[in-house]
């Protein structure tokens, strides 16, 4: 691994490389957008242990010049092995390039799904104004903006229920960095399910720096499933930002598997009264892996509700971070907020850092949080073993049981079954390692 | 079936069982009675293979095999079943999944094929009705949110599913009302057969009105101090433990 380049230089160079490469045809707004982030990027420094937001995870960051380039185009890939078609709308990106032959876009008016390079002026304006322009506190989102070649725009029309899931699949292989970007707007009274899945394998250094921006207008409802389930060699630092207007509902399930360095930031802004969010997350790391869950719920307006439950399992000598922040602004009276983070350590070498943060500036709110970190319960293990179940099998059953409640709530049968199977094989392997 | 000889066991260095001798032949029902702290629950746990207890002397033979070296799960697979005094709650693991895994672990050990899903469900539904629990409980987490009585009935339900050779009931009757007690007793009586044996550990004589023991033993200070027929339980009920020269409570 090279340490020749500092963090910003690496990606300033990368964005230069991108500029020369395959995006010459992209539209003017995208160029402006990219340039703005390139300027921001020059001001940034590599997060260290002293960067509060990266306190527990900075030690896993290993930036090298190997990743400071866009992934090259693949002629053949292992995409087909990892792509499970959910029979809805499907958008596939391979190494940052849209794969038209693998995708299935809507042919009717039920919703609009387009690449950024195809947007009308009006849509482009919506995106460039709607997406987070200031990502200076989020260096990897800035990298995403600085290297952005293309993205996916999704619009759910007013009072429309999109029955089929909208499935986005991002596949990556090789060496370098890929920057998936999604913008979704759900117009008033609409309803949809968005699924983001990341796959890929590599023996080299590969970083995904993804950003998803979601705008939920009044009374819109979005179910959001995010599967950070790519092969363990890949690094991924991703951001999902949600702005919620009056009476909108956002329900998420985020599944995280460990890698060299992995982090997902989920930031919710409850902007108008009656908005509700419910955030579920399951995370498991083994061996030397790392995963960092950062969530932030901002109660900006009164009468909003948030409910969050994350469960994490760390085996081997792996490391999990949970940083959950609820910020209740001065005007956010009558807020209901609940945050729960339960953690399970499978070995004495595994590490979990859990940091719930509540900042409350309103005086009439109900807000609760709870965190536990523990090991498998000896009495429960013994009970199962007295029924003839082997100790390893009993440990597997209990570990899966720890996250089962959240897994059962996944709002898509196919993903639920796949998640159950994936978790089972990972947990089994965790107990075989010992 | 079961032969316990000069069994000594201690926990954290404190001796609890101080020389137990007990023989249970196939088809027999034995009641073990005694005041609190006499070692009744320790005996149950030691038979099941709880590793918190250290066996310092003696022998336990089940069907001509020593069980002392057998890990807990192997004892269960050999046909030992312990109905817990305080069954644990396991949220996230359904009763169905738990029972099916247990049954198949035992079947695999015996060289039998896995039970198919249809036969399993049929049997589970039949047995849960037998203990008067709502079949909806099958899909719930193991003992999750169950009342004390429901937990005890669930223990009996598991016993009926796993069909052990030797069932040990550790104060299964405590905390039960009469109706629940009858359900538990019916379950045990249904399991009784010439090749199965039952050890009932109990503080009270009441359970023995419904499950009639062949032998009653009084355990005090880690030893069996008196054995007799079912009339011994009645005598204990009438006179308390005091007449045997031991303090009750």
């Amino acid at each position: 691994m090279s340490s020749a380049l500092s963090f910003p230089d690496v990606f300033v160079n990368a964005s230069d490389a991108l500029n020369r490469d395959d995006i010459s045809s992209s539209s003017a707004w995208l160029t402006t957008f990219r340039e703005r982030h390139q300027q921001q990027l020059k001001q940034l420094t590599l997060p260290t242990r002293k960067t509060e937001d990266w306190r527990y995870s900075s030690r896993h960051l290993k930036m090298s010049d190997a990743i400071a380039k866009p992934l090259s185009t693949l002629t053949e890939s292992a995409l087909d092995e990892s792509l499970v078609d959910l029979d809805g709308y499907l958008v596939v990106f391979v190494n940052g390039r849209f794969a038209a032959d693998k995708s299935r876009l809507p042919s009717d008016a039920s919703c609009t799904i387009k690449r950024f390079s195809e947007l009308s002026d009006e849509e482009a304006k919506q995106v460039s104004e709607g997406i987070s322009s200031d990502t200076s506190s989020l260096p990897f989102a800035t990298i995403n903006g600085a290297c952005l070649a293309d993205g996916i725009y999704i619009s759910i029309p007013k009072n429309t229920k999109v029955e089929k899931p909208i499935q986005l699949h991002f596949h990556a292989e090789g060496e370098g960095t890929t920057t998936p970007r999604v913008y979704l707007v759900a117009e008033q009274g609409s309803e949809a399910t968005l699924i983001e899945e990341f796959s890929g394998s590599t023996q080299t250094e590969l970083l995904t720096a993804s950003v998803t921006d979601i705008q939920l207008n009044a009374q819109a409802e979005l179910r959001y499933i995010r599967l950070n389930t790519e092969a363990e060699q890949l690094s991924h630092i991703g951001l999902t930002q949600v702005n919620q207007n009056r009476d909108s509902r956002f329900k998420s399930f985020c599944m995280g598997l460990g890698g060299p360095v992995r982090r997902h930031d989920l930031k919710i802004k409850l902007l108008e009264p009656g908005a509700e969010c419910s955030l579920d997350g399951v995370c498991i790391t083994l061996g030397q892996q790392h995963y960092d869950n950062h969530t932030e719920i901002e109660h900006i307006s009164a009468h909003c509700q948030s409910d969050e439950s994350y469960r994490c399992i760390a085996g081997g000598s792996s490391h999990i971070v949970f940083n959950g922040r609820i910020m209740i602004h001065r005007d956010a009276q009558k807020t209901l907020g609940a945050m729960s983070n339960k953690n399970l350590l499978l070995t004495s070498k595994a590490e979990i850092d859990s940091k719930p943060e509540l900042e409350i500036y309103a005086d009439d709110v109900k807000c609760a949080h709870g965190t536990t970190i523990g090991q498998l319960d000896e009495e429960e293990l013994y009970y199962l073993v007295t029924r003839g179940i082997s100790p390893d099998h009993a440990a597997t059953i209990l570990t899966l049981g720890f996250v089962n409640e959240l897994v059962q709530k996944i709002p898509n049968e196919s993903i639920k079954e796949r998640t159950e199977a994936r978790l089972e094989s990972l947990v089994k392997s965790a107990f075989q390692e010992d | 079936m079961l032969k316990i000889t000069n069994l000594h066991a201690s926990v954290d260095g404190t001796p609890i069982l101080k020389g137990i001798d007990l023989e249970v032949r196939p088809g027999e029902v034995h009641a073990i009675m005694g005041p609190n702290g006499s070692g009744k629950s320790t005996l149950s746990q030691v038979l099941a293979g709880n590793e918190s207890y250290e066996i310092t002397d003696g022998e336990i033979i089940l069907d001509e095999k020593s069980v002392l070296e057998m890990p807990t799960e192997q004892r269960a697979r050999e046909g030992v079943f312990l109905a817990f005094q305080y069954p644990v709650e396991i949220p996230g693991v359904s009763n169905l999944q738990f029972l099916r895994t247990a049954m198949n672990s035992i079947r695999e050990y015996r060289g039998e094929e896995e039970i198919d899903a249809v036969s399993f469900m049929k049997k589970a539904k039949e047995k849960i009705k037998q203990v008067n629990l709502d079949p909806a409980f099958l899909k719930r987490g193991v003992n999750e949110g169950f009342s004390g009585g429901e937990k005890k009935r669930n223990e009996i339900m598991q016993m009926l599913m796993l069909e052990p050779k030797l069932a040990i009931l550790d104060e299964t009757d405590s905390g039960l009302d009469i109706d629940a007690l009858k359900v538990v007793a019916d379950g045990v009586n249904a399991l009784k057969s010439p090749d199965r044996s039952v050890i009932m550990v109990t503080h009270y004589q009441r359970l023995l009105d419904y499950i009639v023991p062949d032998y009653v033993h009084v355990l005090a200070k880690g030893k069996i101090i008196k054995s007799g027929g079912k009339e011994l339980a009645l005598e204990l009920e009438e006179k308390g433990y005091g007449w045997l020269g031991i303090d009750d409570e």
Side-chain angles (χ1 to χ4, degrees):
Chain A
M1 202 203 81
S2 159
S3 56
L5 293 168
S6 73
F7 168 64
D9 290 345
V10 162
F11 287 98
V12 171
N13 290 355
S15 54
D16 287 349
L18 258 171
N19 275 333
R20 287 194 305 271
D21 192 9
D22 56 342
I23 52 165
S24 50
S25 64
S26 74
S27 39
W29 75 270
L30 206 48
T31 308
T32 312
F33 182 82
R34 201 160 42 233
E35 281 167 2
R36 191 169 71 227
H37 286 86
Q38 285 163 3
Q39 287 308 315
Q40 282 177 15
L41 190 56
K42 284 177 185 157
Q43 312 301 318
L44 293 177
T45 53
L46 183 70
T48 65
R49 203 160 41 85
K50 289 181 180 152
T51 315
E52 186 55 31
D53 199 35
W54 277 89
R55 191 166 139 204
Y56 300 108
S57 291
S58 63
R59 68 175 196 250
H60 301 281
L61 277 177
K62 291 186 178 73
M63 292 298 120
S64 71
D65 50 0
I67 57 169
K69 59 175 182 267
L71 294 173
S72 50
T73 311
L74 292 180
T75 47
E76 273 181 42
S77 78
L79 168 70
D80 292 343
E81 292 162 29
S82 54
L83 176 61
V84 178
D85 191 338
L86 299 169
D87 291 328
Y89 303 120
L90 177 62
V91 177
V92 177
F93 271 71
V94 177
N95 280 17
R97 280 119 186 126
F98 176 67
D101 58 326
K102 302 285 183 190
S103 302
R104 190 187 310 115
L105 301 183
S107 52
D108 52 20
S110 64
C111 63
T112 303
I113 302 179
K114 280 183 176 180
R115 301 166 60 185
F116 278 4
S117 51
E118 301 168 338
L119 297 185
S120 68
D121 289 349
E122 196 186 327
E123 288 163 339
K125 188 161 174 273
Q126 193 181 20
V127 174
S128 55
E129 285 175 3
I131 64 184
S132 41
S133 52
D134 182 18
T135 50
S136 51
S137 63
L138 299 156
F140 291 87
T142 309
I143 288 171
N144 176 289
C147 302
L148 190 64
D150 203 353
I152 277 293
Y153 166 90
I154 302 164
S155 171
I156 317 293
K158 192 173 172 180
N159 295 332
T160 304
K161 180 175 181 181
V162 182
E163 300 281 351
K164 295 177 180 176
I166 301 168
Q167 181 186 7
L168 311 183
H169 194 102
F170 299 98
H171 184 84
E173 291 177 29
E175 185 177 79
T177 291
T178 179
T179 54
R181 184 119 198 171
V182 178
Y183 177 81
L184 180 143
V185 54
E187 298 294 355
Q188 183 175 334
S190 64
E191 191 179 332
T193 302
L194 177 69
I195 296 155
E196 290 180 333
E197 182 168 359
F198 299 87
S199 71
S201 60
T202 181
Q203 297 305 319
T204 50
E205 288 180 63
L206 196 160
L207 172 70
T208 301
S210 62
V211 178
T212 299
D213 285 279
I214 293 169
Q215 170 66 43
L216 300 183
N217 289 338
Q219 289 191 302
E221 176 169 341
L222 184 74
R223 288 169 294 273
Y224 176 66
I225 301 177
R226 183 179 171 99
L227 305 170
N228 273 118
T229 49
E230 54 262 71
E232 63 171 338
Q233 301 90 346
L234 282 80
S235 294
H236 188 154
I237 296 163
L239 166 68
T240 304
Q241 305 194 101
V242 186
N243 286 335
Q244 290 191 242
N245 290 0
R246 183 179 285 269
D247 299 321
S248 62
R249 282 182 300 280
F250 177 76
K251 293 179 184 170
S252 64
F253 175 81
C254 296
M255 170 83 194
L257 303 183
V261 53
R262 289 216 183 152
R263 170 165 165 162
H264 181 229
D265 281 61
L266 178 55
K267 290 173 175 285
I268 314 287
K269 283 192 170 76
L270 301 169
L271 296 164
E272 294 180 353
E276 287 178 24
C277 69
S278 145
L279 317 180
D280 288 345
V282 168
C283 170
I284 177 167
T285 58
L286 304 172
Q288 305 288 321
Q289 296 167 359
H290 164 258
Y291 200 96
D292 184 336
N293 304 282
H294 261 68
T295 66
E296 181 182 72
I297 302 167
E298 278 195 76
H299 282 267
I300 293 165
S301 183
H303 297 285
C304 293
Q305 197 171 328
S306 65
D307 187 7
E308 175 174 11
S309 181
Y310 269 65
R311 304 239 172 138
C312 307
I313 302 166
S317 45
S318 66
H319 182 200
I320 289 179
V321 178
F322 174 82
N323 193 130
R325 184 160 179 265
I326 299 180
M327 164 94 170
I328 301 179
H329 291 243
R330 202 166 53 92
D331 295 334
Q333 302 294 0
K334 306 288 181 190
T335 288
L336 291 178
M339 172 166 62
S340 152
N341 170 231
K342 294 187 181 172
N343 300 287
L344 185 61
L345 289 164
L346 300 182
T347 68
S348 55
K349 285 183 188 160
E351 176 182 342
I352 295 179
D353 297 292
S354 177
K355 190 174 161 212
E357 294 176 65
L358 251 57
E359 268 187 69
I360 303 178
Y361 297 101
D363 54 16
D364 185 13
V365 304
K366 276 188 193 154
C367 202
H369 73 90
T371 291
T372 61
I373 300 184
Q375 293 156 283
L376 289 176
D377 186 286
E378 289 294 334
E379 270 189 57
E380 293 177 12
L381 279 170
Y382 172 62
Y383 188 76
L384 295 186
V385 172
T386 63
R387 301 305 185 240
I389 300 170
S390 73
D392 278 1
H393 199 158
T396 301
I397 290 174
L398 290 181
T399 305
L400 292 170
F402 178 73
V403 293
N404 191 39
E405 186 192 327
L406 297 181
V407 172
Q408 292 311 313
K409 282 165 68 186
I410 297 176
N412 179 291
E413 273 309 308
S414 164
I415 293 177
K416 189 198 292 178
E417 283 170 22
R418 222 161 17 111
T419 303
E420 282 174 332
R422 190 81 184 260
L423 281 168
E424 188 173 343
S425 84
L426 284 169
V427 171
K428 270 187 186 160
S429 75
F431 291 108
Q432 280 158 5
E433 263 175 29
D434 298 343
Chain B
M1 163 79 68
L2 178 74
K3 194 166 196 286
I4 303 174
T5 319
N6 190 33
L7 184 66
H8 287 70
S10 57
V11 62
D12 297 330
T14 309
I16 310 281
L17 301 182
K18 300 164 187 168
I20 303 265
D21 294 289
L22 179 67
E23 187 168 0
V24 179
R25 285 176 291 268
E28 289 179 353
V29 176
H30 289 240
I32 296 181
M33 305 186 68
N36 288 336
S38 58
K40 301 192 300 286
S41 278
T42 299
L43 179 60
S44 312
Q45 293 292 343
V46 164
L47 288 172
N50 189 329
E51 287 169 5
S52 313
Y53 298 90
E54 192 192 350
I55 310 301
T56 49
D57 200 4
E59 183 58 276
I60 305 172
I61 305 287
L62 178 73
D63 285 342
E64 283 148 29
K65 286 183 230 170
S66 170
V67 302
L68 288 184
E69 294 305 316
M70 277 186 201
T72 311
E73 71 274 17
Q74 194 184 343
R75 296 185 196 194
R77 293 167 186 179
E78 289 282 350
V80 176
F81 180 90
L82 170 64
F84 280 67
Q85 184 178 3
Y86 303 111
V88 293
E89 296 193 19
I90 311 180
V93 179
S94 76
N95 271 300
L96 277 178
Q97 183 201 359
F98 163 57
L99 277 170
R100 196 161 173 204
T101 310
M103 271 183 95
N104 283 332
S105 300
I106 293 170
R107 290 171 80 106
E108 189 189 346
Y109 179 77
R110 293 178 186 159
E112 296 165 11
E113 279 191 19
E114 286 201 349
I115 187 165
D116 67 272
V118 176
S119 317
F120 171 77
M121 274 311 294
K122 194 172 162 229
K123 186 165 178 172
K125 281 183 178 159
E126 179 192 320
K127 301 300 180 192
I128 199 143
K129 278 184 200 144
Q130 202 174 332
V131 297
N132 226 347
L133 283 175
D134 183 344
F137 278 47
L138 288 170
K139 290 189 175 165
R140 280 175 46 183
V142 176
N143 293 322
E144 188 184 0
F146 287 24
S147 71
E150 285 165 350
K151 284 179 186 168
K152 298 293 178 79
R153 279 186 273 162
N154 198 30
E155 294 291 287
I156 299 303
M157 145 77 180
Q158 291 171 32
M159 182 186 79
L160 293 171
M161 288 295 285
L162 301 178
E163 299 173 337
K165 278 194 296 209
L166 174 67
I168 304 156
L169 311 181
D170 187 6
E171 306 216 14
T172 302
D173 53 326
S174 60
L176 292 186
D177 60 28
I178 295 286
D179 290 336
L181 191 70
K182 281 182 187 163
V183 168
V184 165
D186 287 347
V188 175
N189 288 327
L191 192 78
K192 266 170 61 177
S193 78
D195 54 356
R196 293 185 209 283
S197 312
V198 179
I199 295 176
M200 290 184 291
V201 171
T202 180
H203 190 83
Y204 307 103
Q205 175 273 339
R206 191 180 61 157
L207 177 65
L208 311 184
D209 289 342
Y210 301 97
I211 309 170
V212 181
D214 299 297
Y215 298 93
V216 175
H217 310 276
V218 179
L219 188 63
K221 294 185 177 137
K223 283 185 167 180
I224 290 175
I225 57 162
K226 191 167 179 63
S227 297
K230 61 181 182 241
E231 65 289 346
L232 177 56
L234 293 169
E235 215 171 338
L236 284 170
E237 179 79 359
E238 201 177 312
K239 301 180 182 169
Y241 292 103
W243 66 282
L244 291 167
I246 49 175
D247 302 327
D248 196 357
E249 305 297 306

